[in-house]
Amino acid sequence: MWKNYLKIALRNLAKDKLFSAINLFGLSIGLAACLTIFVYVRQEANYDRFHSKSERIYRVSRSFIDPEGLSETVELGAVAPPFAPLLKAEISGIEQTIRFLEYDNVAMQREDLVFLENDLFFTEENVFDIFDIKVKEGNPKTALREPFSVMLSEEMAKKYFPQGNYQNQEILLFSNKIPFRVTGVYESLPANSHMHPRFLFSFSSLNDERMYGKERLQTNWFNNAFYTYLLLSPNVEPETISSCFDAFLDKHLAAFADSPKPKFKPHQETQLHLQALTDIHLDSHTASELEENGSRSRVWMFALIALFILGIAGANYMNLSTAKAATRAREIGVRKASGANRGLIIRQFLGESVFLAAIATFIGLVLTNLGGLKLLSLMSGKNYTLNGIWHWQDLLLLAGFPVLIGVLAGLYPAFFLSAFRPVEVLKGNRMAKLANTGGAKVANLLRKSLVVGQFAMSAGLIIATLVVFKQLRFIQNKELGYDRDYVVTLPMFTRLEEKFPAMREEFLRQPGVINAGRSSQIPTERLLNSYGQARVGSSKEPVGKGLQFVTVDFDFVSTLGIPLLAGRTFTREHPSDSTQAYLLNETAAINLGWKNPKEAVGQQITYNNRPGEVIGVMKDFHFESLHENILPLIFFPDFGGGYSSISVKLDGDNLPQSLAGLESAWKKVAPDLPFNYNFLDASYNRLYAAELSQGRLFTVFALLAILVACLGLFGLAAFTTQQRVKEIGIRKVLGASVSGITALLAKDFIKLVLIAIVVASPLAWYLMKQWLQDFAYRIEIQWWMFVLAGALAVGIAFLTISFQSIKAALANPVKSLRSE
């Protein structure tokens, strides 16, 4: 029996190849897109869950509060070094604590090889007790116990010791020539980890004064650079630990109050928080994350898109299956007349539908593996595979999908058509009778509802794509207030301080080099740990809110082309500029109480106990990303080694030649230092890598959703045209034009698409309004976006329908009417 059902199913597939291809291909594409997004969502949602103790690990973050305004000014993902040991000693319920101190742009040396490295972590010896880091070589219990020991990731072990003989070898921290003994190798952490250390240095090394200093580790409460994690005891709730933080802060920070009777308690100006390890990637967006985190809202958005696409594909399949089933009424009559009972017919139709859905599911899996995941990996810069979804729950869902879709699509033919008596469906007017039944009317209403739902989702995705790309274009084209084009940034090593004047002269001799300057930070970096308050004139009280500072040399402002609103910039013609001069941005001038930039010039201020004169006011510019508001900013020179970056402005005429000249000049002055450069505009674009990737994925999935919806619409138009072929023939004989017949066939579908646009617009407006809230500087959602999205949806639908309509209108009416 089942063999016969299979033959009938395959025969029906072959009988109408176009209809069958549309049905299978649409469902396969939809399922492939859904599976691709599912892999992305699964990986994003499972960050750090590979650690066996992940449910008990929490990171301590620290926020600073303006108690006057009762608002949080900044939250940091790291805290000061004394916190960890004291929290462990004073709060019960904490089983272990661990600290990480990260360094980037560090020169590492082995013999004659010097490399500039990132992701160097100093950490404590119990790191392997808390985190599941697989040690390949060495003893995890003792590898980081001794000072000046280091463990390498597999990647770094191969890089520094290609022959494999790394045990007890030494590598040097180049800046101070301190040797570290290699004590082991560990397996690199998986992609779904919120940190990826390439080196693990022993934390006890920081006790050395050349590194950090034991006293500073115990007493420096304000260097918030130590990522601190707590392993809670079993069955201890994080709220129990958090409730002790206020008293802890008041106890240990009271000594730093401004007066014996401070206006605010310490916990009113700074607070500690616990972040679950498994929530860091999606929910933590502090100002000092170890890596770029994801976004829970972005995950939900893509999950919603996956449901949309799957809903469109499923609706298509159900629509086309129910439409096609009506043409099989005579088959049902013949089978019933031959002795088949209703139960057999129901099983046949449901079986066929599930069988076809299973074929589409298999094709969807193949498309996901061959194309979907490769495209996702290419656009996101991460590696995605199907390996992570073969859990029994996933397999159950995958197996249940064709059953669910197949049963829903097969319900109409299985239960409605199978109820007719053979005599009714075998008469010549059977289709007219079927069309006037209540069940047929319900099926017709369902088809229309599904079309509206499909195009509502498609129109919503078009609107979302327009908003995303408009915002991304706004980001890329917005005037930032400085010139980021053809600016090369280089690391400023401490050992280069005395040699820099000679290096700058060598730079300026190279073709295409316009200027070069130094700074403690460069635009695109976060302004953290550079906070201070200013006093104006003879006042002893700070004025306004705190200012963020950046130390710059005489040439930095002109190198980046930052315009001045009043006064002048630093110059060598005024020797006092190096010790007694300040530049403010416009926001800082207003913050300190001046009504306009000209009023600020010439005023005396004291910033962090350093007196000086305001010599100029810069136009506000975006030092940080457009996610952040422009902060009050103050510039001043620091010739005591406070610079970390060199910025070089090129003319852009011959970049390869200019870069080769820079490298030649670098090696001439500092041959023992690694030459490593970045372009400032590339650093700027990296700030929005997640948004750019999201925009590209939005476009791809929106196009897929529209494609699948159009396939369904094409199939329905073909079916409707086929059903009305004699009507079209009569109209042509009576003089109807091709355009009139096309409009007649298209108008019912276009009405449904217009309804879909009306339904989709409010929801799309709300969701994209929420997405834009992540940007401090953003576009406004405008009416024309909805009009354009609607026009695109209507235009695409009309083109889809017109193909079949025009084909039918051009057909010879003699052929369609000959049976009459």
mmCIF file with all atom_site columns, all heavy atoms in Angstrom, residues 331-340 422-423 426:
data_model
loop_
_atom_site.group_PDB
_atom_site.id
_atom_site.type_symbol
_atom_site.label_atom_id
_atom_site.label_alt_id
_atom_site.label_comp_id
_atom_site.label_asym_id
_atom_site.label_entity_id
_atom_site.label_seq_id
_atom_site.pdbx_PDB_ins_code
_atom_site.Cartn_x
_atom_site.Cartn_y
_atom_site.Cartn_z
_atom_site.occupancy
_atom_site.B_iso_or_equiv
_atom_site.pdbx_formal_charge
_atom_site.auth_seq_id
_atom_site.auth_comp_id
_atom_site.auth_asym_id
_atom_site.auth_atom_id
_atom_site.pdbx_PDB_model_num
ATOM 1  N N   . GLU A 1 331 ? -9.730  12.461 -9.330  1.00 0.00 ? 331 GLU A N   1
ATOM 2  C CA  . GLU A 1 331 ? -8.932  11.316 -8.861  1.00 0.00 ? 331 GLU A CA  1
ATOM 3  C C   . GLU A 1 331 ? -9.548  10.721 -7.603  1.00 0.00 ? 331 GLU A C   1
ATOM 4  O O   . GLU A 1 331 ? -9.659  9.491  -7.453  1.00 0.00 ? 331 GLU A O   1
ATOM 5  C CB  . GLU A 1 331 ? -7.496  11.751 -8.587  1.00 0.00 ? 331 GLU A CB  1
ATOM 6  C CG  . GLU A 1 331 ? -6.627  10.662 -7.986  1.00 0.00 ? 331 GLU A CG  1
ATOM 7  C CD  . GLU A 1 331 ? -5.321  11.197 -7.402  1.00 0.00 ? 331 GLU A CD  1
ATOM 8  O OE1 . GLU A 1 331 ? -4.874  12.284 -7.830  1.00 0.00 ? 331 GLU A OE1 1
ATOM 9  O OE2 . GLU A 1 331 ? -4.758  10.540 -6.514  1.00 0.00 ? 331 GLU A OE2 1
ATOM 10 N N   . ILE A 1 332 ? -9.984  11.617 -6.694  1.00 0.00 ? 332 ILE A N   1
ATOM 11 C CA  . ILE A 1 332 ? -10.591 11.137 -5.449  1.00 0.00 ? 332 ILE A CA  1
ATOM 12 C C   . ILE A 1 332 ? -11.879 10.383 -5.751  1.00 0.00 ? 332 ILE A C   1
ATOM 13 O O   . ILE A 1 332 ? -12.162 9.312  -5.181  1.00 0.00 ? 332 ILE A O   1
ATOM 14 C CB  . ILE A 1 332 ? -10.874 12.330 -4.506  1.00 0.00 ? 332 ILE A CB  1
ATOM 15 C CG1 . ILE A 1 332 ? -9.558  12.981 -4.080  1.00 0.00 ? 332 ILE A CG1 1
ATOM 16 C CG2 . ILE A 1 332 ? -11.656 11.881 -3.279  1.00 0.00 ? 332 ILE A CG2 1
ATOM 17 C CD1 . ILE A 1 332 ? -9.739  14.289 -3.348  1.00 0.00 ? 332 ILE A CD1 1
ATOM 18 N N   . GLY A 1 333 ? -12.669 10.945 -6.694  1.00 0.00 ? 333 GLY A N   1
ATOM 19 C CA  . GLY A 1 333 ? -13.912 10.268 -7.047  1.00 0.00 ? 333 GLY A CA  1
ATOM 20 C C   . GLY A 1 333 ? -13.674 8.893  -7.613  1.00 0.00 ? 333 GLY A C   1
ATOM 21 O O   . GLY A 1 333 ? -14.387 7.916  -7.253  1.00 0.00 ? 333 GLY A O   1
ATOM 22 N N   . VAL A 1 334 ? -12.705 8.750  -8.496  1.00 0.00 ? 334 VAL A N   1
ATOM 23 C CA  . VAL A 1 334 ? -12.386 7.459  -9.098  1.00 0.00 ? 334 VAL A CA  1
ATOM 24 C C   . VAL A 1 334 ? -11.927 6.479  -8.034  1.00 0.00 ? 334 VAL A C   1
ATOM 25 O O   . VAL A 1 334 ? -12.340 5.305  -8.012  1.00 0.00 ? 334 VAL A O   1
ATOM 26 C CB  . VAL A 1 334 ? -11.315 7.626  -10.200 1.00 0.00 ? 334 VAL A CB  1
ATOM 27 C CG1 . VAL A 1 334 ? -10.797 6.263  -10.661 1.00 0.00 ? 334 VAL A CG1 1
ATOM 28 C CG2 . VAL A 1 334 ? -11.865 8.414  -11.369 1.00 0.00 ? 334 VAL A CG2 1
ATOM 29 N N   . ARG A 1 335 ? -11.074 6.945  -7.126  1.00 0.00 ? 335 ARG A N   1
ATOM 30 C CA  . ARG A 1 335 ? -10.561 6.050  -6.092  1.00 0.00 ? 335 ARG A CA  1
ATOM 31 C C   . ARG A 1 335 ? -11.682 5.586  -5.156  1.00 0.00 ? 335 ARG A C   1
ATOM 32 O O   . ARG A 1 335 ? -11.735 4.421  -4.762  1.00 0.00 ? 335 ARG A O   1
ATOM 33 C CB  . ARG A 1 335 ? -9.450  6.737  -5.292  1.00 0.00 ? 335 ARG A CB  1
ATOM 34 C CG  . ARG A 1 335 ? -8.184  6.986  -6.125  1.00 0.00 ? 335 ARG A CG  1
ATOM 35 C CD  . ARG A 1 335 ? -7.126  7.737  -5.293  1.00 0.00 ? 335 ARG A CD  1
ATOM 36 N NE  . ARG A 1 335 ? -6.657  6.922  -4.199  1.00 0.00 ? 335 ARG A NE  1
ATOM 37 C CZ  . ARG A 1 335 ? -5.732  5.963  -4.296  1.00 0.00 ? 335 ARG A CZ  1
ATOM 38 N NH1 . ARG A 1 335 ? -5.189  5.696  -5.480  1.00 0.00 ? 335 ARG A NH1 1
ATOM 39 N NH2 . ARG A 1 335 ? -5.366  5.262  -3.256  1.00 0.00 ? 335 ARG A NH2 1
ATOM 40 N N   . LYS A 1 336 ? -12.585 6.511  -4.821  1.00 0.00 ? 336 LYS A N   1
ATOM 41 C CA  . LYS A 1 336 ? -13.680 6.126  -3.935  1.00 0.00 ? 336 LYS A CA  1
ATOM 42 C C   . LYS A 1 336 ? -14.645 5.191  -4.654  1.00 0.00 ? 336 LYS A C   1
ATOM 43 O O   . LYS A 1 336 ? -15.199 4.251  -4.055  1.00 0.00 ? 336 LYS A O   1
ATOM 44 C CB  . LYS A 1 336 ? -14.407 7.363  -3.417  1.00 0.00 ? 336 LYS A CB  1
ATOM 45 C CG  . LYS A 1 336 ? -13.543 8.207  -2.486  1.00 0.00 ? 336 LYS A CG  1
ATOM 46 C CD  . LYS A 1 336 ? -14.326 9.297  -1.788  1.00 0.00 ? 336 LYS A CD  1
ATOM 47 C CE  . LYS A 1 336 ? -15.117 8.730  -0.632  1.00 0.00 ? 336 LYS A CE  1
ATOM 48 N NZ  . LYS A 1 336 ? -15.744 9.781  0.193   1.00 0.00 ? 336 LYS A NZ  1
ATOM 49 N N   . ALA A 1 337 ? -14.851 5.439  -5.946  1.00 0.00 ? 337 ALA A N   1
ATOM 50 C CA  . ALA A 1 337 ? -15.732 4.560  -6.719  1.00 0.00 ? 337 ALA A CA  1
ATOM 51 C C   . ALA A 1 337 ? -15.132 3.167  -6.864  1.00 0.00 ? 337 ALA A C   1
ATOM 52 O O   . ALA A 1 337 ? -15.854 2.176  -7.024  1.00 0.00 ? 337 ALA A O   1
ATOM 53 C CB  . ALA A 1 337 ? -15.977 5.166  -8.103  1.00 0.00 ? 337 ALA A CB  1
ATOM 54 N N   . SER A 1 338 ? -13.795 3.103  -6.778  1.00 0.00 ? 338 SER A N   1
ATOM 55 C CA  . SER A 1 338 ? -13.105 1.806  -6.899  1.00 0.00 ? 338 SER A CA  1
ATOM 56 C C   . SER A 1 338 ? -13.008 1.086  -5.567  1.00 0.00 ? 338 SER A C   1
ATOM 57 O O   . SER A 1 338 ? -12.391 0.019  -5.479  1.00 0.00 ? 338 SER A O   1
ATOM 58 C CB  . SER A 1 338 ? -11.699 2.031  -7.460  1.00 0.00 ? 338 SER A CB  1
ATOM 59 O OG  . SER A 1 338 ? -11.757 2.628  -8.732  1.00 0.00 ? 338 SER A OG  1
ATOM 60 N N   . GLY A 1 339 ? -13.545 1.682  -4.518  1.00 0.00 ? 339 GLY A N   1
ATOM 61 C CA  . GLY A 1 339 ? -13.594 0.980  -3.238  1.00 0.00 ? 339 GLY A CA  1
ATOM 62 C C   . GLY A 1 339 ? -12.734 1.566  -2.134  1.00 0.00 ? 339 GLY A C   1
ATOM 63 O O   . GLY A 1 339 ? -12.745 1.058  -1.003  1.00 0.00 ? 339 GLY A O   1
ATOM 64 N N   . ALA A 1 340 ? -11.990 2.621  -2.411  1.00 0.00 ? 340 ALA A N   1
ATOM 65 C CA  . ALA A 1 340 ? -11.155 3.219  -1.363  1.00 0.00 ? 340 ALA A CA  1
ATOM 66 C C   . ALA A 1 340 ? -12.038 3.937  -0.355  1.00 0.00 ? 340 ALA A C   1
ATOM 67 O O   . ALA A 1 340 ? -12.939 4.689  -0.739  1.00 0.00 ? 340 ALA A O   1
ATOM 68 C CB  . ALA A 1 340 ? -10.153 4.196  -1.990  1.00 0.00 ? 340 ALA A CB  1
ATOM 69 N N   . PRO A 1 422 ? -18.527 10.189 -4.595  1.00 0.00 ? 422 PRO A N   1
ATOM 70 C CA  . PRO A 1 422 ? -18.008 10.035 -5.964  1.00 0.00 ? 422 PRO A CA  1
ATOM 71 C C   . PRO A 1 422 ? -18.900 10.667 -7.018  1.00 0.00 ? 422 PRO A C   1
ATOM 72 O O   . PRO A 1 422 ? -18.427 11.271 -7.971  1.00 0.00 ? 422 PRO A O   1
ATOM 73 C CB  . PRO A 1 422 ? -17.903 8.525  -6.148  1.00 0.00 ? 422 PRO A CB  1
ATOM 74 C CG  . PRO A 1 422 ? -17.797 7.974  -4.765  1.00 0.00 ? 422 PRO A CG  1
ATOM 75 C CD  . PRO A 1 422 ? -18.593 8.890  -3.884  1.00 0.00 ? 422 PRO A CD  1
ATOM 76 N N   . VAL A 1 423 ? -20.230 10.550 -6.867  1.00 0.00 ? 423 VAL A N   1
ATOM 77 C CA  . VAL A 1 423 ? -21.139 11.054 -7.877  1.00 0.00 ? 423 VAL A CA  1
ATOM 78 C C   . VAL A 1 423 ? -21.022 12.579 -8.026  1.00 0.00 ? 423 VAL A C   1
ATOM 79 O O   . VAL A 1 423 ? -21.234 13.137 -9.098  1.00 0.00 ? 423 VAL A O   1
ATOM 80 C CB  . VAL A 1 423 ? -22.596 10.643 -7.534  1.00 0.00 ? 423 VAL A CB  1
ATOM 81 C CG1 . VAL A 1 423 ? -23.078 11.343 -6.270  1.00 0.00 ? 423 VAL A CG1 1
ATOM 82 C CG2 . VAL A 1 423 ? -23.520 10.909 -8.729  1.00 0.00 ? 423 VAL A CG2 1
ATOM 83 N N   . LEU A 1 426 ? -17.499 13.486 -9.857  1.00 0.00 ? 426 LEU A N   1
ATOM 84 C CA  . LEU A 1 426 ? -17.277 12.953 -11.201 1.00 0.00 ? 426 LEU A CA  1
ATOM 85 C C   . LEU A 1 426 ? -18.151 13.625 -12.260 1.00 0.00 ? 426 LEU A C   1
ATOM 86 O O   . LEU A 1 426 ? -18.023 13.332 -13.442 1.00 0.00 ? 426 LEU A O   1
ATOM 87 C CB  . LEU A 1 426 ? -17.527 11.443 -11.222 1.00 0.00 ? 426 LEU A CB  1
ATOM 88 C CG  . LEU A 1 426 ? -16.495 10.603 -10.460 1.00 0.00 ? 426 LEU A CG  1
ATOM 89 C CD1 . LEU A 1 426 ? -16.892 9.136  -10.446 1.00 0.00 ? 426 LEU A CD1 1
ATOM 90 C CD2 . LEU A 1 426 ? -15.112 10.768 -11.082 1.00 0.00 ? 426 LEU A CD2 1
#
